[in-house]
Amino acid sequence: MIEVQNLTKYYKDFCAVDNISMTIRKGEILGLLGPNGAGKTTTLRMLTGYFRPSSGSITIKDYVMPEDNLKIKSLIGYLPESAPLYHNMLVYDYLEYVAKLKGIDDKEARYDRFLQLSDLCGLSAIMAKPIADLSKGLKQRVGLAHAMMTDPEILILDEPTSGLDPNQIAEIRNIIKTIGKEKTIIFSTHILSEAEATCDRIAIINNGRVVADDTTANLKQNAGRSSFIRLAIQGAQKNDVVDLLSGISEKLDISQVSENEKHILSFEIRCSDNTDFRSQIYLKIKETDWIIVEFQKESQALEKIFRELTREEK
Amino acid sequence: MKQITTIAIKEFKDYFISPIAYIVISLFLIVTGWFFFSTFFIFGRADLRDFFSLLPITFSFIIPAVTMRLFSEEKNVGSYETLLTMPVSFTDIALGKFFAATLFSLSLLVPTLSYPLFIAFIGDLDPGPVIGGYIGAVFLAGAYSSIGLFASSLTRNQIISFIIGCAMCFTLTILDKLLFFMPEKIIGIVNYVGSNSHFLNIAKGVIDSRDILYFVSVIFIFVFSTYLVMHEKN
């Protein structure tokens, strides 16, 4: 669907995107992860034809940039970072303007599409409001409606959830998931849990280079060792717990994290290989009169990979 | 073509949504009205010659104020990115914005149509120069709008684009008054480049293809330069 080869972008002497190559298949939700200034936005801007690459090629379907730029632009729906819109227009007027520019000429067809979009993005209450009066989350939704106007095959969203409150983030994520069932979606974010929850595939970018590119499941599996068990116990002495747990297996590495005022001890238990010791731990503790307050396996997979791959070399 | 109309209509409406349109129109009417009527009854001539001879100067300040937001505002807000990633070509955008600005500059002139009506009522008005004057004003507005458009495409700061636009329009306007300082060899060229003499020719009621060609060339050069700037900056 989308073929990117040796894509490079220089701003004067600064190399923002350095030789990126990737293939994005139809129907995939790709998350672009990376620290601030890694080159995510620049990459997306080149994909949408807003920036010209310094070198490299982009092929979408059978169209090549920049010759078929207009054709490619009509295949893509794009939501730029922080959804820049015309502030003095009403939402309805804005959508009508966009629909006309995107070539929906028939009045009826336009109206039908507005109804669908306002359902999907929850715009019906704000149709007659000036865009300047909308909150950030609402602007983001208008931007999303803009991007999806012609029901494009490819959606490119640049940090669609940045600056939103948790409710709004959940809403936008739901929208992405709903439309992602039949569309190809590329979106950038620096929130790891978001990428984990919504993407089929994750590409991590650092300093303009792709440092990891794999399915979400594979990435997590490769970093499996970073999972640990969080255990909190009431009514026990620290040494007793450590003795008891180390009796289970030599592979366990137990570290105490904290003890709070109610004498609840928290531990993180790691295992040198990937065996799950939860049942043994539970059975052991059952023999005592300690109370388990918290007992949970946690995975830091993505976070760990992300930090390792994007740490600044000093 | 359809895209051009859509953009032009949107931009034209934009002027009237915000207070800009009303402020600029009032300012224009006050300035032209004052300079024209302050001497009108002293001379006691039933014509609009003074009004039209002042028009290039007033236009070279008013029109850049009209055009300064065309690109600068979009670049500043970021909506330029949204616009460029829609399936529209650079030419559509440049032409759409150019037509909107020209149309708005012409709508400045609509209230001034009351001047000839008023004069015809109290005196014997020769319609030829008046019609010529308004035709000249259309070309002048087009040429200065294209210059303002170009100035706006250069920067994201509206004030800078206003100043650049003013400087360019004003220079073109007063060029034929600077001939005195020019070496003899280039006087002909400089005189042709200045806009004032071309406008005044048409305003006299003499519609010469050379003058029309001049304005069309100015419009073409600056709309095309705008296109080149857009191309270069992305």
Side-chain angles (χ1 to χ4, degrees):
Chain A
M1 188 87 179
I2 303 175
E3 278 273 352
V4 174
Q5 245 155 33
N6 307 330
L7 197 64
T8 306
K9 177 77 182 174
Y10 278 96
Y11 295 119
K12 302 251 164 67
D13 291 334
F14 174 69
C15 182
V17 171
D18 189 4
N19 223 353
I20 286 185
S21 301
M22 58 167 79
T23 309
I24 299 151
R25 280 175 297 274
K26 197 177 156 76
E28 218 166 27
I29 304 184
L30 171 73
L32 275 185
L33 282 177
N36 290 325
K40 301 184 297 270
T41 300
T42 310
T43 312
L44 294 184
R45 282 181 170 173
M46 285 191 282
L47 279 176
T48 54
Y50 179 53
F51 280 170
R52 237 176 323 169
S54 306
S55 68
S57 73
I58 300 171
T59 316
I60 294 180
K61 282 183 121 181
D62 294 325
Y63 304 109
V64 189
M65 278 208 207
E67 290 79 24
D68 309 316
N69 235 335
L70 280 185
K71 192 74 205 154
I72 288 179
K73 281 177 185 174
S74 62
L75 285 178
I76 295 178
Y78 175 47
L79 172 70
E81 201 174 346
S82 75
L85 308 164
Y86 296 106
H87 285 189
N88 48 8
M89 290 176 101
L90 303 183
V91 174
Y92 180 85
D93 289 344
Y94 177 70
L95 291 181
E96 175 142 293
Y97 172 60
V98 172
K100 280 183 183 165
L101 278 190
K102 291 197 173 187
I104 309 180
D105 295 326
D106 180 39
K107 219 171 174 184
E108 293 283 308
R110 263 202 311 261
Y111 190 67
D112 286 347
R113 188 67 193 142
F114 291 167
L115 282 181
Q116 288 167 5
L117 285 174
S118 82
D119 269 356
L120 187 62
C121 308
L123 299 176
S124 45
I126 55 165
M127 272 295 182
K129 281 193 179 167
I131 289 176
D133 292 355
L134 301 182
S135 69
K136 198 163 180 214
L138 290 175
K139 277 183 198 156
Q140 204 80 12
R141 288 198 220 164
V142 177
L144 220 79
H146 163 125
M148 294 191 294
M149 185 56 76
T150 48
D151 205 16
E153 293 173 54
I154 302 163
L155 267 180
I156 297 183
L157 313 170
D158 195 358
E159 300 199 4
T161 58
S162 77
L164 302 185
D165 73 33
N167 292 336
Q168 294 167 329
I169 291 182
E171 280 171 27
I172 299 268
R173 247 187 240 171
N174 278 338
I175 296 176
I176 293 177
K177 274 200 157 169
T178 323
I179 51 182
K181 282 173 193 148
E182 55 231 67
K183 308 258 175 264
T184 310
I185 299 183
I186 306 171
F187 79 94
S188 75
T189 177
H190 43 231
I191 306 167
L192 296 160
S193 55
E194 181 169 292
E196 202 178 332
T198 32
C199 299
D200 306 326
R201 189 174 140 201
I202 289 175
I204 299 177
I205 295 186
N206 190 36
N207 290 332
R209 271 184 292 257
V210 175
V211 285
D213 178 6
D214 212 335
T215 60
T216 315
N218 277 353
L219 275 180
K220 277 162 80 175
Q221 201 161 26
N222 294 345
R225 283 180 194 193
S226 60
S227 66
F228 62 89
I229 296 164
R230 185 187 295 283
L231 175 67
I233 286 179
Q234 199 173 18
Q237 292 298 315
K238 185 194 166 195
N239 291 340
D240 296 343
V241 179
V242 174
D243 288 346
L244 184 84
L245 292 179
S246 28
I248 297 173
S249 163
E250 285 170 358
K251 291 176 191 163
L252 288 179
D253 167 28
I254 302 140
S255 55
Q256 192 197 354
V257 187
S258 67
E259 175 173 3
N260 71 4
E261 63 277 11
K262 286 178 186 159
H263 302 290
I264 295 175
L265 296 164
S266 295
F267 296 91
E268 281 182 12
I269 304 160
R270 285 166 209 279
C271 177
S272 52
D273 60 18
N274 227 356
T275 338
D276 191 353
F277 278 102
R278 271 183 295 181
S279 49
Q280 281 108 307
I281 295 174
Y282 172 71
L283 290 173
K284 276 279 180 201
I285 295 178
K286 209 170 78 167
E287 292 164 7
T288 68
D289 55 354
W290 303 337
I291 300 161
I292 297 180
V293 189
E294 214 180 298
F295 190 37
Q296 183 181 3
K297 188 177 180 187
E298 284 187 15
S299 168
Q300 279 187 317
L302 268 183
E303 207 169 318
K304 190 179 170 203
I305 301 178
F306 184 81
R307 282 216 214 101
E308 269 171 14
L309 290 173
T310 61
R311 205 168 25 216
E312 290 295 318
E313 291 103 26
K314 277 172 190 151
Chain B
M1 191 61 213
K2 221 170 46 215
Q3 313 282 54
I4 299 177
T5 336
T6 311
I7 293 176
I9 292 173
K10 183 248 162 196
E11 294 289 339
F12 185 67
K13 273 191 192 160
D14 258 6
Y15 283 117
F16 291 94
I17 294 173
S18 59
I20 314 172
Y22 309 101
I23 295 173
V24 171
I25 291 178
S26 324
L27 200 68
F28 178 74
L29 288 178
I30 292 170
V31 172
T32 55
W34 165 252
F35 280 110
F36 176 50
F37 281 106
S38 60
T39 57
F40 179 74
F41 291 104
I42 301 174
F43 293 132
R45 278 196 324 241
D47 61 27
L48 280 168
R49 207 184 302 163
D50 289 344
F51 169 68
F52 285 122
S53 64
L54 267 175
L55 204 57
I57 302 266
T58 24
F59 264 5
S60 54
F61 290 99
I62 293 282
I63 290 184
V66 171
T67 56
M68 66 182 182
R69 48 169 288 281
L70 288 175
F71 280 100
S72 305
E73 193 182 30
E74 293 226 30
K75 284 186 181 171
N76 209 10
V77 177
S79 53
Y80 191 57
E81 188 176 350
T82 351
L83 180 62
L84 280 199
T85 46
M86 282 197 266
V88 283
S89 66
F90 291 165
T91 327
D92 293 343
I93 297 174
L95 281 175
K97 283 174 184 284
F98 162 73
F99 283 126
T102 311
L103 207 61
F104 181 75
S105 309
L106 293 179
S107 65
L108 291 173
L109 289 171
V110 174
T112 68
L113 289 174
S114 62
Y115 300 171
L117 289 179
F118 163 72
I119 295 169
F121 190 64
I122 59 166
D124 188 15
L125 180 73
D126 179 9
V130 176
I131 295 168
Y134 277 107
I135 292 175
V138 172
F139 284 109
L140 192 69
Y144 285 9
S145 296
S146 67
I147 294 175
L149 180 81
F150 168 70
S152 185
S153 71
L154 294 174
T155 161
R156 57 168 56 206
N157 186 324
Q158 295 200 33
I159 308 215
I160 294 176
S161 81
F162 172 68
I163 293 171
I164 296 174
C166 275
M168 291 173 72
C169 292
F170 192 64
T171 312
L172 269 194
T173 308
I174 59 163
L175 212 52
D176 63 343
K177 299 194 174 63
L178 298 176
L179 292 180
F180 179 70
F181 302 101
M182 304 287 167
E184 205 175 331
K185 278 180 189 161
I186 59 167
I187 282 183
I189 301 168
V190 174
N191 192 28
Y192 184 80
V193 170
S195 63
N196 205 21
S197 57
H198 296 286
F199 170 69
L200 291 180
N201 277 346
I202 303 178
K204 266 181 232 155
V206 186
I207 296 176
D208 188 335
S209 56
R210 271 175 301 179
D211 300 324
I212 293 176
L213 191 68
Y214 166 80
F215 283 114
V216 173
S217 324
V218 171
I219 292 171
F220 175 77
I221 288 170
F222 283 101
V223 173
F224 187 65
S225 310
T226 309
Y227 167 84
L228 290 181
V229 171
M230 290 172 79
H231 207 268
E232 202 41 53
K233 287 211 170 178
N234 102 316

